[in-house]
Amino acid sequence: MHQHQRRLLTIVTESTIEAHLLRDIQRWGAHGYTITEARGKGARGVREGNWEANRNIRIEVVCDDSSAERIAGGLRAHYYDNYAMILYLSNVDVLRPEKF
Amino acid sequence: MHQHQRRLLTIVTESTIEAHLLRDIQRWGAHGYTITEARGKGARGVREGNWEANRNIRIEVVCDDSSAERIAGGLRAHYYDNYAMILYLSNVDVLRPEKF
Amino acid sequence: MHQHQRRLLTIVTESTIEAHLLRDIQRWGAHGYTITEARGKGARGVREGNWEANRNIRIEVVCDDSSAERIAGGLRAHYYDNYAMILYLSNVDVLRPEKF
Amino acid sequence: MIDPVVMFFLLGIAAGVLRSELRLPVQVYELLSILLLLAIGMKGGIELARQPFLALVPQMLAVIAMGFALPLLAFPVLLYFGRLPRTDAASIAAHYGSVSVGTFAVVVAWLSARDISYEAYMPVFVVLLEIPAILVGIVLAKGLGSGDSLRRSAHEVLLGKSIVLLVGGLLIGWAAGEEGLKGIAPLFFSPFQGLLALFLLEMGLVTASQLGTLRRYGLFLLGFGVLAPVVAAICGLVLAWLLGLSVGGAVVLATLAASASYIAVPAAMRISVPEANPALSLAASLGVTFPFNVVVGIPLYHWLTRHAYAIFGGS
Amino acid sequence: MIDPVVMFFLLGIAAGVLRSELRLPVQVYELLSILLLLAIGMKGGIELARQPFLALVPQMLAVIAMGFALPLLAFPVLLYFGRLPRTDAASIAAHYGSVSVGTFAVVVAWLSARDISYEAYMPVFVVLLEIPAILVGIVLAKGLGSGDSLRRSAHEVLLGKSIVLLVGGLLIGWAAGEEGLKGIAPLFFSPFQGLLALFLLEMGLVTASQLGTLRRYGLFLLGFGVLAPVVAAICGLVLAWLLGLSVGGAVVLATLAASASYIAVPAAMRISVPEANPALSLAASLGVTFPFNVVVGIPLYHWLTRHAYAIFGGS
Amino acid sequence: MIDPVVMFFLLGIAAGVLRSELRLPVQVYELLSILLLLAIGMKGGIELARQPFLALVPQMLAVIAMGFALPLLAFPVLLYFGRLPRTDAASIAAHYGSVSVGTFAVVVAWLSARDISYEAYMPVFVVLLEIPAILVGIVLAKGLGSGDSLRRSAHEVLLGKSIVLLVGGLLIGWAAGEEGLKGIAPLFFSPFQGLLALFLLEMGLVTASQLGTLRRYGLFLLGFGVLAPVVAAICGLVLAWLLGLSVGGAVVLATLAASASYIAVPAAMRISVPEANPALSLAASLGVTFPFNVVVGIPLYHWLTRHAYAIFGGS
Ligand SMILES: Nc1ncnc2c1ncn2[C@@H]1O[C@H](COP(=O)(O)O)[C@@H](O)[C@H]1O
Ligand SMILES: Nc1ncnc2c1ncn2[C@@H]1O[C@H](COP(=O)(O)O)[C@@H](O)[C@H]1O
Ligand SMILES: Nc1ncnc2c1ncn2[C@@H]1O[C@H](COP(=O)(O)O)[C@@H](O)[C@H]1O
Ligand code: NA
Ligand code: NA
Ligand code: NA
């Protein structure tokens, strides 16, 4: 079974900005995304997720290397400073490369 | 601490087929799985997760390489064409290899 | 865009022990964590997540290699034998290494 | 004037179309549907206990027959006029042959608000109509050789959420009776209309999200989504007249015939006829037929019934 | 006839055993348990305000003593007859020494449906019985040297959901009184039985999922799960008689003694005695004792109480 | 005596401060806020239908003017006395210029419990006061050149959950009238106080989690969070007197002026003024002002109103 390497970009951030964020990452090259509800703790404190102002979402985007760079760069430029957000990238193998 | 390499198979798909899918992936070699509720967007459009027909689930299976191949192959043969589904594989290190 | 390699530690376990576990992994070196609600199946049977006693949580920690080792070791020593738990590690690239 | 519960539906559609950020958690949707299904079942069961069961058997058989007939009527239209692939035609036919419990709840609330009585054992018909169309749909899609798949599907629908709660409610209502259920009425019966209003708010939001698909698939679905329920309602009305139902009962049966499933059948089709495109059938059943029935259809079927009963006789 | 709320429980079990896809979102389960705990607490508090508090102190001490005694009674049976490992025996003993709020709600609904009055401050006993057995269980598992662990456990149970809501409800009920709480009655008091019915539907589903474990662990658990509550109920009944409780109060205290925890204690044991297998204790308390009490036990304890009170005197 | 709904708030705070494991699922929080917003809207709409609409326009304009004025008053205080960065001062000013629907619900329940009548179309003012302060806040943070951002923000707030549900409820209440909504009253109106109690329990838990932040940011926030509402309440009271509102109406308008948003405004500021630290504004509005208003403020504003009206005349 032939496998193709892609990048998996995972973002954890405030749910308040979901709509804007999704619009932007698609503009920067994401063909799709998967969202799960999350809570957590980081430099900006505990986000318990028990109330609209402190819910997190965890967004995953599978894409090619250059899109991943573009999205990560865009997020760093436009979101990093002002929002609770982490972001990491890893390598994944997919079966249908044309989808991503 | 000795670590052993395994494959992590992640599937995002429609929640409607959960029962059948779980039965199949266990038949194809999964010893366990973890499910989280998800929503997202892909080639088959937005799946908002606000209603039974458009909920996604995200399934993770840690297994050895050959099981991963078998499961991915089975999913491609039996599910890919007709269901909203993506699937990707990555390498992970585990501490207790006998579990997977 | 310069990227730095870190370890991503993923733990799936019983939600009952959340508070204790979070305290411990922070003591062992985690600067943050992300939690999602999960359910699943493993050696200790099906955990459907429909009731307080059988809910799982999925915890992710991004950290440096030595913290990852320490946390994984601590979990193995203090939790592995008595709790439904799996744990795996993978490599991820981050943009702001100072956060983790 | 429009019924308040329908206003909630329109509010949901408006919020969805305007891309408001209003969202009901899916768990609230689930809770509402559980409460509504149980309440409908129990009300039917209470009434069933008051009837001689055997006297209902002929009616029940006739209703089941209608459940088999309706999708067979819809299928050729979808195939030849709609030029849809066989599997899609079969799947949509199954949706329209089966029923929507939400629509049933609305017609019941509509009649109550107008003090129009109806045969209160109608929830039994909801149960009876839910399944036959699914079986027909699978056979239409896969041919008669699909016995195994049929059996599995029937099994799955029987154990699906809606049937279990409706039948469970029926049995509890039947065993406990109105008096026995007085204690739980403040959760299930008194707030019924409020629960329905909230449910319709959510269905409005979901309906709005179907409108995009609808646009993509053109006029045929729109026309089918409006005409099919009217034709089916007339079938239901004729059957009701033949069975000697009251005006209220005829309106309910007509509405059941006119309604298209958007819960049990989509799930069953997804498993048994996976090649069928679910966007298509949901756009029609939820994006067109559900709002049509709720806003226009029910008053129309009542109007038709009154005139038909006036002309041909019947109470 | 079976109570309607119990029918919901049986419906849940049936749906679970038949592998129906019916599922209640865990958030609904949480909402229901929050509402029930608060309502029970407030009802107790309202009544408590009507009593001279000091007069209750002796009763309260006696009930606490029973909370310490019951697990000590169960432990040797589990250890010697059940041949269970020490930690499992201790953990199960703690489950059975403590109480189940769900069972308490059912007995209260059962008595109300039959217009049998009882000492309405009983929720206080629920609070008092919840904790001692946990402490005993930890000592039995780990020896008396476990002081630190004990303190932490007591602290955690005291701040656990059930105690906080019960005690919070008690205080609110006590401070506001029946009159003061009239405004919130339509959410907490009137739909109480309906909420309980829905809660039992969910518990039925959960119970069904325990039956597999039960089969694996054989007959001893089954026997223990049926006999332990009967023996405990008799202890409770004797104590009630000694304390001069009414027949209704005796039935409640007997049922509390008979009931086994499946919320607070499992959580506490998971943390303090992690070596104990939770499948074992839950299979017994939830898979056997809860259904036994709900379906058979409560009527049985009422029958026993009436006869005992008739023979030995008491109202 | 403290109102029972406030006791639930205190229970939530106590549970949070003691680090109890009590948690309400966020879906329950969402359900409660949806029900409360719709109920408040519908009540206002019912009343609106009874008024000549044009007669209210002057009052509405005056209230909108207050919505623009209040944040302009708060801003310099925050900037010069608080020595806060411009963006934070602007964001906090926006929070305090806008309103809290939760506080509105509490004052309404408080007045009802005391049989004090008020102009029942007050929910209209809630809607009118929600938005102006947001626009002012953005201009204060970004200057008048922020026209585009302003338009987008206004759009987003208009389509946010609170406005859609309040306005939707208003329209439904207005169109259906009290009689028309009788069917849904058992879900929306009768349990209103109970729903509010549960909502306040959750808000208590959330408030407790703000206390940590509060400690970090020192005394200024605490002082501002107590004094700002009192000053704003006096503005509201004066306006009410000028508009000829009843004592009850004046208490409501004073409380609205005194209340600080913790739902709509935080979300809008997060998007439009992301540089502002949300921990700061939430610690003040939710950690100080909300509890202050609910526990102390409302009775205080009532006391002030009664005396002011006694001195200056007014009913
Ligand atoms: N080291 C970490 N590992 C995993 N998740 C993290 C980590 N740091 C932060 N997060 C997540 O990212 C969110 C925002 O992080 P921050 O901006 O650091 O407050 C947190 O609420 C966590 O959910
Ligand atoms: N590029 C992607 N990255 C992450 N998740 C995706 C991506 N494409 C699709 N998905 C997820 O997979 C589901 C099914 O995808 P599809 O079959 O392409 O519609 C979507 O609803 C998303 O949740
Ligand atoms: N092979 C696996 N792949 C993915 N998740 C697993 C696997 N095995 C176990 N899990 C998850 O870890 C939890 C505890 O596992 P266990 O201790 O094996 O019962 C399960 O409930 C699953 O959610
Ligand atoms: Na139909
Ligand atoms: Na007990
Ligand atoms: Na204000």
Side-chain angles (χ1 to χ4, degrees):
Chain A
M1 199 165 44
H2 204 66
Q3 302 185 348
H4 308 261
Q5 190 162 316
R6 288 288 177 278
R7 289 291 262 178
L8 169 65
L9 170 66
T10 306
I11 308 158
V12 181
T13 191
E14 312 180 9
S15 66
T16 326
I17 57 172
E18 179 179 317
H20 290 76
L21 197 69
L22 292 180
R23 199 197 48 207
D24 283 348
I25 62 175
Q26 290 181 87
R27 202 154 47 87
W28 295 328
H31 293 289
Y33 53 80
T34 295
I35 303 177
T36 46
E37 312 295 322
R39 49 203 170 88
K41 181 172 170 181
R44 293 192 182 233
V46 180
R47 300 184 54 80
E48 279 192 61
N50 61 344
W51 180 54
E52 35 223 315
N54 68 7
R55 300 174 77 169
N56 280 348
I57 47 173
R58 181 180 181 279
I59 306 179
E60 285 173 310
V61 178
V62 181
C63 56
D64 59 34
D65 210 58
S66 68
S67 299
E69 294 281 313
R70 200 161 51 249
I71 299 173
L75 292 172
R76 186 165 59 173
H78 294 86
Y79 289 90
Y80 250 39
D81 292 339
N82 294 319
Y83 295 104
M85 176 179 285
I86 67 161
L87 175 163
Y88 54 82
L89 296 141
S90 60
N91 295 323
V92 295
D93 300 315
V94 301
L95 301 189
R96 292 189 298 183
E98 70 284 2
K99 282 198 73 162
F100 304 103
Chain B
M1 199 168 44
H2 202 65
Q3 301 183 349
H4 308 261
Q5 190 163 315
R6 286 289 178 277
R7 290 290 262 178
L8 168 65
L9 171 66
T10 307
I11 308 159
V12 181
T13 191
E14 313 180 9
S15 66
T16 326
I17 56 171
E18 178 179 318
H20 290 77
L21 197 69
L22 292 180
R23 196 197 51 207
D24 283 347
I25 62 176
Q26 291 181 87
R27 202 154 47 86
W28 295 328
H31 293 290
Y33 52 80
T34 295
I35 303 178
T36 47
E37 311 295 321
R39 51 203 169 88
K41 181 173 169 182
R44 294 194 182 232
V46 181
R47 299 183 54 79
E48 280 190 61
N50 60 345
W51 181 54
E52 36 221 315
N54 68 8
R55 301 175 76 169
N56 280 348
I57 46 174
R58 181 181 181 279
I59 306 178
E60 284 174 311
V61 179
V62 180
C63 56
D64 59 34
D65 210 58
S66 69
S67 299
E69 293 281 312
R70 201 161 50 251
I71 299 174
L75 291 173
R76 184 162 62 172
H78 293 86
Y79 288 90
Y80 250 39
D81 293 337
N82 294 320
Y83 296 103
M85 177 178 284
I86 68 161
L87 175 163
Y88 54 83
L89 296 141
S90 59
N91 294 324
V92 294
D93 300 315
V94 301
L95 302 189
R96 292 189 298 183
E98 69 285 0
K99 280 198 73 162
F100 303 102
Chain C
M1 200 166 40
H2 203 65
Q3 302 184 350
H4 307 260
Q5 190 163 315
R6 287 290 176 277
R7 289 290 264 178
L8 169 65
L9 170 66
T10 306
I11 309 158
V12 181
T13 191
E14 312 181 9
S15 66
T16 325
I17 56 172
E18 180 179 314
H20 290 75
L21 198 67
L22 292 180
R23 199 197 49 209
D24 283 347
I25 62 175
Q26 291 181 86
R27 201 153 48 85
W28 295 327
H31 293 289
Y33 53 80
T34 295
I35 303 178
T36 46
E37 312 295 321
R39 50 205 170 87
K41 181 173 169 181
R44 292 192 183 233
V46 180
R47 299 184 54 80
E48 280 191 61
N50 60 344
W51 180 54
E52 35 222 314
N54 68 8
R55 300 175 77 168
N56 280 347
I57 47 174
R58 181 180 180 279
I59 306 178
E60 285 173 311
V61 179
V62 180
C63 56
D64 59 33
D65 211 58
S66 68
S67 300
E69 293 282 312
R70 199 160 53 252
I71 299 174
L75 292 173
R76 185 164 62 172
H78 294 86
Y79 288 91
Y80 250 40
D81 292 339
N82 294 321
Y83 296 102
M85 177 178 284
I86 68 162
L87 175 163
Y88 55 81
L89 294 141
S90 59
N91 295 324
V92 294
D93 300 316
V94 301
L95 303 189
R96 293 189 296 184
E98 70 283 2
K99 283 197 73 162
F100 304 102
Chain D
M1 204 197 51
I2 309 178
D3 276 47
V5 294
V6 176
M7 291 180 193
F8 279 85
F9 182 65
L10 298 177
L11 174 59
I13 293 192
V17 168
L18 294 171
R19 305 198 170 288
S20 147
E21 58 145 54
L22 175 63
R23 242 158 226 59
L24 260 79
V26 68
Q27 293 86 355
V28 170
Y29 167 86
E30 289 186 58
L31 172 60
L32 291 171
S33 61
I34 289 170
L35 289 171
L36 292 175
L37 287 164
L38 282 171
I40 290 172
M42 286 189 290
K43 281 185 192 172
I46 290 173
E47 204 53 35
L48 213 53
R50 293 188 181 132
Q51 308 284 332
F53 187 76
L54 278 180
L56 288 182
V57 171
Q59 290 198 7
M60 289 164 67
L61 292 177
V63 163
I64 291 176
M66 184 177 82
F68 280 103
L70 285 177
L72 288 172
L73 227 74
F75 180 65
V77 176
L78 291 156
L79 201 59
Y80 299 114
F81 293 94
R83 301 223 193 105
L84 292 172
R86 182 178 193 87
T87 48
D88 282 322
S91 165
I92 300 180
H95 283 71
Y96 279 79
S98 185
V99 291
S100 140
V101 181
T103 314
F104 175 74
V106 176
V107 72
V108 161
W110 194 90
L111 292 172
S112 311
R114 282 155 191 77
D115 279 325
I116 303 172
S117 68
Y118 59 93
E119 285 74 9
Y121 53 79
M122 286 283 158
V124 179
F125 293 176
V126 178
V127 175
L128 296 177
L129 281 171
E130 194 131 32
I131 300 165
I134 294 175
L135 305 181
V136 174
I138 296 173
V139 171
L140 289 174
K142 308 210 145 176
L144 274 166
S146 51
D148 202 53
S149 160
L150 273 181
R151 210 151 346 103
R152 240 186 308 123
S153 276
H155 187 250
E156 265 164 17
V157 179
L158 279 173
L159 291 176
K161 186 180 71 174
S162 13
I163 296 286
V164 166
L165 290 172
L166 280 173
V167 172
L170 273 173
L171 292 175
I172 291 175
W174 180 78
E178 184 149 28
E179 197 53 30
L181 295 183
K182 249 169 55 183
I184 62 168
L187 183 70
F188 290 99
F189 299 149
S190 334
F192 186 83
Q193 287 206 32
L195 297 169
L196 182 59
L198 215 53
F199 183 79
L200 288 177
L201 178 64
E202 166 70 5
M203 291 318 298
L205 291 167
V206 175
T207 297
S209 70
Q210 300 299 320
L211 297 182
T213 328
L214 197 61
R215 210 166 311 131
R216 220 176 318 138
Y217 289 106
L219 272 179
F220 175 74
L221 275 194
L222 192 70
F224 183 82
V226 167
L227 291 180
V230 176
V231 174
I234 294 173
C235 298
L237 172 46
V238 170
L239 180 61
W241 184 78
L242 292 173
L243 296 174
L245 296 185
S246 68
V247 168
V251 175
V252 175
L253 192 55
T255 305
L256 280 178
S259 76
S261 171
Y262 49 80
I263 299 183
V265 180
M269 289 297 121
R270 218 60 209 101
I271 305 281
S272 306
V273 189
E275 307 83 8
N277 180 354
L280 225 57
S281 38
L282 283 175
S285 78
L286 196 60
V288 185
T289 301
F290 183 70
F292 173 76
N293 277 329
V294 161
V295 181
V296 181
I298 293 172
L300 174 66
Y301 311 148
H302 180 236
W303 183 89
L304 282 175
T305 310
R306 269 194 309 131
H307 284 77
Y309 270 53
I311 297 171
F312 300 103
S315 57
Chain E
M1 206 198 50
I2 309 178
D3 275 47
V5 295
V6 176
M7 290 180 194
F8 279 87
F9 182 65
L10 298 177
L11 174 59
I13 293 192
V17 168
L18 294 170
R19 304 197 169 287
S20 149
E21 58 145 55
L22 177 62
R23 241 158 228 60
L24 260 78
V26 70
Q27 293 84 357
V28 170
Y29 167 84
E30 289 184 57
L31 172 60
L32 292 171
S33 61
I34 289 169
L35 289 171
L36 293 174
L37 286 163
L38 282 170
I40 290 171
M42 287 189 289
K43 280 184 192 172
I46 290 173
E47 204 53 34
L48 213 53
R50 295 191 179 128
Q51 309 282 331
F53 187 76
L54 278 181
L56 288 182
V57 170
Q59 289 198 8
M60 289 163 67
L61 293 177
V63 164
I64 291 176
M66 182 176 83
F68 281 103
L70 284 177
L72 289 172
L73 227 75
F75 181 65
V77 175
L78 291 156
L79 201 60
Y80 299 113
F81 293 93
R83 300 223 193 103
L84 291 173
R86 184 179 188 85
T87 48
D88 282 321
S91 164
I92 300 180
H95 283 70
Y96 279 79
S98 184
V99 290
S100 140
V101 181
T103 314
F104 175 73
V106 176
V107 72
V108 161
W110 193 90
L111 292 172
S112 311
R114 282 157 190 76
D115 279 324
I116 303 171
S117 67
Y118 58 93
E119 284 74 8
Y121 51 80
M122 285 285 158
V124 179
F125 293 177
V126 178
V127 175
L128 296 178
L129 280 171
E130 194 130 32
I131 299 166
I134 295 176
L135 305 181
V136 173
I138 296 173
V139 171
L140 288 174
K142 309 211 147 175
L144 272 169
S146 52
D148 202 54
S149 160
L150 272 181
R151 210 155 343 105
R152 238 185 310 124
S153 275
H155 187 250
E156 265 165 18
V157 178
L158 278 174
L159 291 176
K161 188 180 69 173
S162 13
I163 296 286
V164 166
L165 290 172
L166 279 173
V167 172
L170 273 173
L171 292 175
I172 292 176
W174 179 78
E178 184 150 26
E179 197 53 32
L181 294 183
K182 248 170 54 184
I184 62 169
L187 183 70
F188 290 99
F189 300 149
S190 335
F192 187 82
Q193 287 206 31
L195 297 169
L196 181 60
L198 215 54
F199 182 78
L200 288 177
L201 178 64
E202 167 69 6
M203 292 318 298
L205 290 168
V206 175
T207 297
S209 71
Q210 300 299 321
L211 298 182
T213 329
L214 196 63
R215 211 167 308 132
R216 221 174 318 136
Y217 290 104
L219 273 178
F220 173 74
L221 275 194
L222 192 70
F224 182 83
V226 167
L227 291 181
V230 176
V231 174
I234 293 172
C235 299
L237 172 45
V238 170
L239 180 62
W241 184 79
L242 292 172
L243 295 174
L245 296 186
S246 66
V247 168
V251 175
V252 175
L253 193 56
T255 306
L256 280 177
S259 76
S261 170
Y262 50 80
I263 299 184
V265 180
M269 289 296 122
R270 217 60 208 101
I271 306 282
S272 306
V273 189
E275 308 82 10
N277 180 355
L280 224 58
S281 38
L282 282 176
S285 78
L286 195 61
V288 184
T289 301
F290 183 70
F292 173 76
N293 277 329
V294 161
V295 181
V296 181
I298 293 172
L300 173 66
Y301 310 147
H302 181 235
W303 183 89
L304 282 174
T305 309
R306 269 194 309 131
H307 283 77
Y309 271 53
I311 296 172
F312 299 103
S315 58
Chain F
M1 205 199 51
I2 309 179
D3 275 47
V5 294
V6 176
M7 291 179 192
F8 279 87
F9 182 66
L10 298 177
L11 174 58
I13 292 192
V17 168
L18 294 171
R19 303 197 172 286
S20 148
E21 59 146 54
L22 176 61
R23 239 157 229 61
L24 258 78
V26 70
Q27 293 85 356
V28 169
Y29 167 84
E30 289 186 57
L31 172 60
L32 292 171
S33 61
I34 289 169
L35 290 171
L36 292 175
L37 287 164
L38 282 170
I40 290 171
M42 286 189 289
K43 281 184 192 172
I46 290 173
E47 204 54 33
L48 213 53
R50 294 189 180 130
Q51 309 282 333
F53 187 77
L54 278 180
L56 288 182
V57 171
Q59 291 198 8
M60 290 163 68
L61 292 177
V63 163
I64 291 176
M66 184 177 82
F68 280 102
L70 284 177
L72 289 172
L73 228 75
F75 180 66
V77 176
L78 291 156
L79 202 60
Y80 299 114
F81 294 93
R83 301 223 193 103
L84 291 173
R86 182 178 192 82
T87 48
D88 282 321
S91 165
I92 299 180
H95 283 70
Y96 279 79
S98 184
V99 290
S100 141
V101 181
T103 314
F104 175 75
V106 175
V107 72
V108 161
W110 193 90
L111 292 172
S112 310
R114 281 153 192 79
D115 279 325
I116 303 172
S117 67
Y118 58 94
E119 285 72 9
Y121 52 81
M122 285 284 159
V124 179
F125 293 177
V126 178
V127 175
L128 296 178
L129 281 171
E130 193 131 33
I131 300 166
I134 294 176
L135 304 182
V136 174
I138 296 173
V139 171
L140 289 174
K142 308 211 147 178
L144 272 168
S146 52
D148 202 52
S149 161
L150 273 180
R151 210 153 345 104
R152 241 188 307 123
S153 275
H155 187 250
E156 265 165 17
V157 179
L158 278 173
L159 292 176
K161 187 181 69 174
S162 12
I163 296 287
V164 166
L165 290 172
L166 280 173
V167 171
L170 272 173
L171 292 176
I172 292 176
W174 180 78
E178 185 150 28
E179 197 53 30
L181 294 183
K182 249 169 57 183
I184 63 169
L187 184 69
F188 290 99
F189 299 149
S190 336
F192 186 83
Q193 288 206 32
L195 296 169
L196 181 60
L198 214 54
F199 182 79
L200 289 177
L201 177 64
E202 167 68 7
M203 291 318 298
L205 291 167
V206 175
T207 297
S209 71
Q210 301 298 322
L211 298 183
T213 328
L214 197 61
R215 209 167 310 130
R216 221 175 318 135
Y217 290 105
L219 272 179
F220 174 74
L221 275 194
L222 192 70
F224 183 83
V226 167
L227 291 181
V230 175
V231 174
I234 293 172
C235 300
L237 172 44
V238 170
L239 181 62
W241 184 79
L242 292 173
L243 295 174
L245 296 186
S246 67
V247 167
V251 175
V252 176
L253 193 57
T255 305
L256 280 178
S259 76
S261 171
Y262 49 80
I263 299 184
V265 181
M269 289 297 120
R270 219 59 207 100
I271 305 281
S272 307
V273 189
E275 308 82 10
N277 180 355
L280 226 57
S281 38
L282 283 176
S285 78
L286 196 60
V288 185
T289 302
F290 183 70
F292 173 76
N293 277 329
V294 160
V295 181
V296 181
I298 292 172
L300 174 65
Y301 311 147
H302 181 236
W303 183 89
L304 283 175
T305 309
R306 269 193 310 129
H307 284 77
Y309 270 53
I311 296 171
F312 300 102
S315 59

